Amino acid sequence: MLVHPRHALRHVVAIVAMPAACALAQEMEPRAYSASPVDTNFALVNVTRLHGSVLPDPSVPITDVAASIDAQTFGYVRTFGVGGHAASLGVALPLVQGDVSGNVVDAPTAVHRAGPGDMRVRFALGLIGSPALSAAEFARRTPETSLGASLTVIAPTGRYRPERLVNVGSNRWAIKPELGLSQPLGKWFVETSLGVWLYGENDEYFGGSRREQDPLALVQLHAGYNFRPGMWLATDLSFSSGGRSRVDGLEKQDRQQNSRYGLTFSLPLGSGWSMKFAWARGLVTRVGGNFESVGVSLQRAWGSQ
C-alpha cells in the first residue's frame, strides 16, 4: 500500500521532534546527586549540538532520515535544607534550532525549526548520606554513600503549531521520578540512577489526531575520578526501554531499546566559575535518534557562607 508523504512523515515526528524526544533520549548526567552546601545558587549556560541519523518505525517507507539540532539552555538551581536533608530546585529554559531531512516514499523532504523549547523543572532531595550543611560544615565532611530522589517535570511551554509535523515544543506534560545512588571510593566514584518518564497526551497532534506514549524507563551508570575539588572525569553509560507511541489508538512499532555511552569532564575556573565538557554517542539504537552529541556548559556558583 502506498503512503502519501504527508502521512508517512507523521511516523517520524515522535522520534525526530526536536524537544523532549531528543533531549530525553540523549541525557546523561553524572554527579546529578552530588552534595552541595545549602543556600548555594548556581547559574549556568549550556550549548549542545546533536547530529546523526534517525531510525523510524521499520514498517513505513521512510529512509535516510537525519537531524542536526543545536540547543542553548539557560538554567538556575538553588540548594536548601528539608527536614535536615540537602535539597535543590532548578529550572532550565532551552532555545532550540535544527534541521530534519529524509526520503519519504523516495521523495526528499527537509524542514527547519527554531524557537523556545519546553521548560524543565527538577526537585532533588537527599534521602541518605546528604545532610543539610553550611559551606564550612560541608568543607569538613567526609564523603559517604548517598541515596537521593528527584522529580523532573517538563511543561509544554515550547513553540508548537498543530498544523506542523515537526515542532520545537512537544505540547504535552512529562514527569520523571528517579532514584540515584552515589558511592565514593577514595578519589574514585561510582553512581547509578533509575528513572521513568511518564507522558501526558497531545490532543493537538498533526491532522487533529491524539498522540499517547507509554512510559520510558532510563538507567544510567557512571564511574569517575576526582583529580581535585571541582575537577573530575567520568565515563557514562545509559539504557532506555519502552516509550511506544499510539496515534488515535493505532500502535506504532517504535518501542525503544537503546543505549548510549560518553565522557564528561568538569574543570574549575576559580571564583565560583567552572566549565563542563560532555560527549556522547549511540551504542545500540533500535528505534529513534542515533545521535552524536557535544556539549559545553559554563556555571557560576555563589551565595553559600
Side-chain angles (χ1 to χ4, degrees), residues 84-167:
H85 298 272
S88 66
L89 182 64
V91 59
L93 300 171
L95 296 176
V96 183
Q97 58 182 348
D99 298 277
V100 179
S101 63
N103 294 319
V104 182
V105 197
D106 296 325
T109 303
V111 295
H112 173 82
R113 295 289 184 265
D118 292 336
M119 179 180 69
R120 179 179 297 208
V121 179
R122 179 179 184 263
F123 171 73
L125 175 66
L127 302 176
I128 299 174
S130 299
L133 301 175
S134 66
E137 294 170 329
F138 187 82
R140 296 191 300 266
R141 90 195 197 290
T142 299
E144 58 182 325
T145 303
S146 62
L147 175 68
S150 68
L151 182 67
T152 302
V153 178
I154 293 182
T157 60
R159 180 170 295 172
Y160 185 85
R161 293 174 59 178
E163 70 274 14
R164 288 181 169 179
L165 284 164
V166 178
N167 280 281

Side-chain angles (χ1 to χ4, degrees), residues 20-294:
C22 289
L24 302 187
Q26 307 304 324
E27 63 178 10
M28 289 193 292
E29 185 61 34
R31 314 309 298 268
Y33 292 91
S34 61
S36 297
V38 298
D39 299 325
T40 302
N41 303 278
F42 300 90
L44 64 91
V45 178
N46 173 269
V47 178
T48 299
R49 179 170 179 81
L50 302 98
H51 177 78
S53 60
V54 180
L55 304 178
D57 179 342
S59 67
V60 299
I62 303 173
T63 59
D64 299 325
V65 182
S68 295
I69 301 169
D70 294 294
Q72 300 84 43
T73 302
F74 304 87
Y76 171 77
V77 179
R78 169 78 177 182
T79 65
F80 49 92
V82 175
H85 298 272
S88 66
L89 182 64
V91 59
L93 300 171
L95 296 176
V96 183
Q97 58 182 348
D99 298 277
V100 179
S101 63
N103 294 319
V104 182
V105 197
D106 296 325
T109 303
V111 295
H112 173 82
R113 295 289 184 265
D118 292 336
M119 179 180 69
R120 179 179 297 208
V121 179
R122 179 179 184 263
F123 171 73
L125 175 66
L127 302 176
I128 299 174
S130 299
L133 301 175
S134 66
E137 294 170 329
F138 187 82
R140 296 191 300 266
R141 90 195 197 290
T142 299
E144 58 182 325
T145 303
S146 62
L147 175 68
S150 68
L151 182 67
T152 302
V153 178
I154 293 182
T157 60
R159 180 170 295 172
Y160 185 85
R161 293 174 59 178
E163 70 274 14
R164 288 181 169 179
L165 284 164
V166 178
N167 280 281
V168 174
S170 58
N171 195 45
R172 66 177 182 184
W173 290 86
I175 63 172
K176 182 182 71 168
E178 184 179 67
L179 287 174
L181 179 67
S182 179
Q183 175 63 58
L185 301 168
K187 288 195 170 185
W188 295 87
F189 61 87
V190 179
E191 299 174 337
T192 184
S193 65
L194 172 62
V196 57
W197 279 107
L198 306 172
Y199 302 104
E201 301 168 355
N202 181 357
D203 292 325
E204 295 183 293
Y205 191 62
F206 178 78
S209 300
R210 177 182 183 183
R211 182 173 183 268
E212 304 168 274
Q213 188 170 4
D214 291 340
L216 177 67
L218 296 170
V219 177
Q220 294 189 45
L221 301 171
H222 308 281
Y225 183 81
N226 291 300
F227 297 96
R228 56 186 175 89
M231 183 177 179
W232 50 265
L233 175 68
T235 58
D236 312 312
L237 185 62
S238 71
F239 305 88
S240 61
S241 180
R244 177 172 289 171
S245 66
R246 292 175 299 281
V247 176
D248 290 338
L250 179 63
E251 193 170 76
K252 306 303 178 183
Q253 300 305 310
D254 58 358
R255 184 179 186 274
Q256 299 181 44
Q257 198 75 36
N258 304 332
S259 58
R260 290 179 61 77
Y261 67 98
L263 294 170
T264 306
F265 177 66
S266 176
L267 178 67
L269 302 178
S271 300
W273 291 91
S274 65
M275 292 193 72
K276 189 165 64 176
F277 306 88
W279 167 86
R281 68 180 304 173
L283 180 62
V284 176
T285 304
R286 305 297 186 191
V287 174
N290 185 18
F291 292 110
E292 181 173 15
S293 64
V294 178

